[in-house]
Amino acid sequence: MEWMETLLTVVFLSVLAYVGVSMLGAARWAFLTRALQSRLVAGRQTVLPARFELRELSGLPDPVQRYFRVALTAGQPMLGAVRIEHAGSFNVADSGAYRWKPFTSGERVIARPPGFVWDGRVTLVPGLTVHVHDAYVAGEGTLHPALFGLTSLARRQGKGDIAQDELMRFLAEAACYPTALLPSQGVQWQAVDQHSATATLKDGEVSASLLFAFNEEGLIESVRAEARGRTLNGKLVVSPWEGLWSDYQQREGMTIPMSGEARWLTPEGPRPYWRGRIGRIDYEFV
């Protein structure tokens, strides 16, 4: 029948168009990812000293000293770079009811100067994917989600507040690459109490500070910023932010968290938006 032939033609053309858009988007996004990663690696510097020694802990706040003694092994080589694969869920609703969607991601991190490129893929519904770049490269921050990797949904990039926000992420995630938190790597620690301390990291004109809280085992339990940029209903607002770390395991002589959660601290209470787990982590030592 003629109507059946027309319907099949429409379906075929729709599928063909979807496949074409998906392939084009994936290719474009891969190109953009490689460009970011190339800039990241091009600026990589040698990490010094080459090994972690206990004498570096002299003068640090007590909870920070306890943390490094638990998380690191004396004499171990310092980290130069890291590759991480994550999987988990992302809340795509700025407010109201939660809308958790699955994501997978790959991340490339360098220790000196501090930098990373996070390449995420959030599946809204089967066949409908948002690609996300979250990065700090050469003193500039990037936050760029794009539908199919083609249509930008928002974009923040450059220096100023976005660079500070992304350097905060590097500092918060350093629990997964803990030699980057040592004073020799530019982190300044200030005592708060017996279970917390403030860490400050400067990279040129960009500076980020977070409050680190440590659990009874001496490991990082949470990190907190009093002010971090958040997109809320299409507008950029500044809100308190917190990251939680859990499920610590041994990797290459280091004790690192395998699971985490990121959340905004709103007047109504904590609002988580990212829950992830490390599927694979590969270290490059100096």
Side-chain angles (χ1 to χ4, degrees):
M1 290 182 283
E2 184 176 346
W3 67 268
M4 180 64 74
E5 292 178 357
T6 302
L7 177 60
L8 290 175
T9 300
V10 170
V11 170
F12 174 76
L13 292 176
S14 298
V15 171
L16 192 63
Y18 166 77
V19 171
V21 167
S22 298
M23 292 178 64
L24 178 62
R28 174 180 179 272
W29 198 256
F31 173 80
L32 295 176
T33 302
R34 287 193 299 270
L36 271 174
Q37 291 175 341
S38 294
R39 287 183 59 210
L40 178 73
V41 174
R44 183 173 173 179
Q45 301 171 0
T46 301
V47 172
L48 296 172
R51 293 186 177 274
F52 162 61
E53 302 295 345
L54 290 176
R55 61 176 176 269
E56 187 173 349
L57 306 185
S58 177
L60 291 178
D62 289 345
V64 180
Q65 290 198 38
R66 287 197 300 271
Y67 165 67
F68 285 125
R69 291 177 186 275
V70 174
L72 300 177
T73 302
Q76 73 166 75
M78 300 284 280
L79 288 168
V82 191
R83 292 183 186 273
I84 311 173
E85 295 179 0
H86 298 98
S89 56
F90 192 92
N91 174 36
V92 298
D94 291 336
S95 58
Y98 287 93
R99 293 170 57 202
W100 290 101
K101 302 298 180 181
F103 82 87
T104 58
S105 65
E107 184 172 12
R108 175 71 166 161
V109 182
I110 62 169
R112 298 294 290 173
F116 69 92
V117 174
W118 186 82
D119 177 24
R121 296 160 297 282
V122 183
T123 303
L124 301 182
V125 296
L128 188 61
T129 302
V130 174
H131 294 257
V132 183
H133 280 152
D134 201 359
Y136 181 78
V137 178
E140 295 186 353
T142 297
L143 180 58
H144 179 207
L147 186 64
F148 291 117
L150 287 173
T151 305
S152 293
L153 303 178
R155 187 168 192 146
R156 295 177 65 202
Q157 186 171 13
K159 298 183 182 295
D161 292 342
I162 180 60
Q164 182 183 56
D165 290 344
E166 296 302 338
L167 186 58
M168 282 184 189
R169 173 169 176 168
F170 175 92
L171 185 59
E173 291 189 353
C176 302
Y177 35 94
T179 62
L181 290 170
L182 288 164
S184 62
Q185 305 310 298
V187 179
Q188 298 178 347
W189 291 94
Q190 183 175 359
V192 174
D193 55 37
Q194 287 301 304
H195 296 285
S196 61
T198 299
T200 299
L201 177 61
K202 295 182 179 180
D203 179 42
E205 298 179 352
V206 187
S207 178
S209 294
L210 293 172
L211 176 66
F212 281 67
F214 303 90
N215 61 23
E216 293 300 323
E217 289 73 39
L219 296 166
I220 297 169
E221 185 173 61
S222 67
V223 291
R224 174 171 174 151
E226 292 306 317
R228 192 177 183 204
R230 173 192 182 192
T231 301
L232 182 61
N233 299 322
K235 296 182 180 180
L236 184 64
V237 299
V238 175
S239 302
W241 173 91
E242 185 177 48
L244 306 177
W245 291 117
S246 59
D247 190 19
Y248 276 84
Q249 298 181 19
Q250 283 280 324
R251 291 291 188 277
E252 301 285 350
M254 299 174 291
T255 305
I256 66 164
M258 300 300 289
S259 295
E261 176 179 290
R263 59 190 192 176
W264 299 107
L265 303 178
T266 73
E268 295 75 29
R271 184 174 180 83
Y273 64 89
W274 184 95
R275 290 171 176 161
R277 181 170 181 81
I278 294 175
R280 177 173 178 174
I281 187 163
D282 296 316
Y283 294 114
E284 296 177 28
F285 296 96
V286 298

